């Protein structure tokens, strides 16, 4: 298990997720924090990014003269295209998602349970606008589901919980949780802490209501 002395910012966390994606993977990046991952993928990884609105071969976010208002990701953020990029119908895009053709999807979340349940579309608040979008298709169809989120709410409550209290997007689908304070691997034998940032394993264990297992050095990835 590795330890860093400071909590990770969003860009540092995105770089960490990007580095963990296996070469040659087909990957979908969800709306919000996950979109930052595209900026840190290295060409030698040969990762192909899929976006829900119908594109394969998406590149990093666009800026300046690169911005094309017709070239956006599912979160309406201007993006670039890589050589060989392809465009297709929305229905075909969902067929890719539902058909098990994605190796990894990276999603945001309101809560994740210790058993890998995902809640990321509605908090139940009366003034909230529920919007599940394609998250349920991604959560069910991707081979691995990585979550990026802050570990604690503003009230200090852990978002990694024993059981989700919010409506579920998917059941038993999340395999890893990347947060500003730690990386968690959700395994059959429990929740393993792979890395910590600005905190210790003991401090995390004291603040969370689920049992934690210290990951061995040979099972970090």
């Amino acid at each position: 298990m590795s330890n860093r002395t400071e909590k990770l910012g969003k860009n540092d966390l995105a770089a960490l997720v990007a580095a963990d994606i296996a070469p040659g993977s087909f990957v979908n990046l969800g709306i919000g924090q996950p979109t930052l991952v595209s900026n840190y993928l290295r060409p030698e990884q040969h990762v192909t990014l899929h976006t829900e609105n119908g594109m394969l071969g998406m590149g990093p976010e666009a800026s300046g003269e690169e911005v094309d208002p017709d070239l956006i990701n599912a979160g309406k953020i201007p993006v670039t295209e890589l050589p060989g990029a392809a465009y297709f119908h929305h229905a075909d895009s969902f067929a890719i998602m539902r058909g098990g053709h994605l190796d990894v999807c990276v999603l945001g979340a309101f809560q994740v349970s210790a058993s890998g349940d995902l809640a990321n579309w509605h908090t139940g608040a009366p003034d909230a606008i529920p919007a599940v979008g394609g998250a349920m298709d991604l959560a069910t169809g991707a081979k691995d589901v990585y979550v990026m989120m802050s570990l604690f709410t503003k009230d200090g409550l852990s978002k990694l919980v024993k059981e989700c209290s919010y409506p579920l997007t998917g059941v038993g689908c999340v395999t890893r949780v990347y947060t500003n304070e730690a990386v968690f691997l959700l395994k059959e034998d429990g929740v393993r802490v792979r890395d910590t940032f600005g905190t210790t394993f003991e401090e995390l264990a004291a603040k969370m209501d689920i049992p934690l297992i210290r990951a061995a050095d040979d099972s970090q990835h």
Side-chain angles (χ1 to χ4, degrees), residues 107-131:
L107 299 171
F110 297 128
Q111 287 180 331
V112 176
S113 78
S115 58
D117 297 342
L118 171 67
N120 78 342
W121 70 278
H122 193 26
T123 62
D127 58 344
I129 300 174

Side-chain angles (χ1 to χ4, degrees), residues 13-187:
L13 192 60
L16 179 62
V17 175
D20 280 353
I21 294 175
S25 295
F26 286 81
V27 179
N28 181 285
L29 304 177
I31 295 171
Q33 284 193 57
T35 62
L36 296 172
V37 173
S38 66
N39 298 332
Y40 297 96
L41 291 167
R42 304 182 309 279
E44 59 268 25
Q45 286 179 271
H46 299 292
V47 169
T48 301
L49 292 181
H50 165 272
T51 181
E52 181 184 317
N53 50 320
M55 179 183 180
L56 273 175
M58 181 180 74
E61 292 180 25
S63 61
E65 295 182 355
E66 293 178 330
V67 174
D68 180 345
D70 292 325
L71 185 56
I72 58 174
N73 63 20
K76 300 182 180 179
I77 295 173
V79 295
T80 56
E81 58 183 1
L82 299 179
Y87 303 90
F88 33 82
H89 192 279
H90 208 177
D92 294 324
S93 182
F94 270 73
I96 291 173
M97 293 155 59
R98 295 171 178 171
H101 304 291
L102 295 175
D103 297 299
V104 177
C105 74
V106 186
L107 299 171
F110 297 128
Q111 287 180 331
V112 176
S113 78
S115 58
D117 297 342
L118 171 67
N120 78 342
W121 70 278
H122 193 26
T123 62
D127 58 344
I129 300 174
V132 69
M136 59 184 177
D137 305 274
L138 289 166
T140 302
K143 297 181 179 71
D144 273 308
V145 177
Y146 297 170
V147 162
M148 289 177 68
M149 66 180 187
S150 56
L151 182 54
F152 296 101
T153 67
K154 294 179 180 179
D155 297 328
L157 300 176
S158 175
K159 297 181 184 178
L160 184 54
V161 296
K162 183 177 180 180
E163 294 182 0
C164 294
S165 58
Y166 296 146
L168 295 184
T169 307
V171 176
C173 55
V174 179
T175 52
R176 297 186 186 184
V177 179
Y178 291 81
T179 77
N180 54 330
E181 297 193 36
V183 175
F184 302 90
L185 310 179
L186 307 189
K187 302 289 189 178

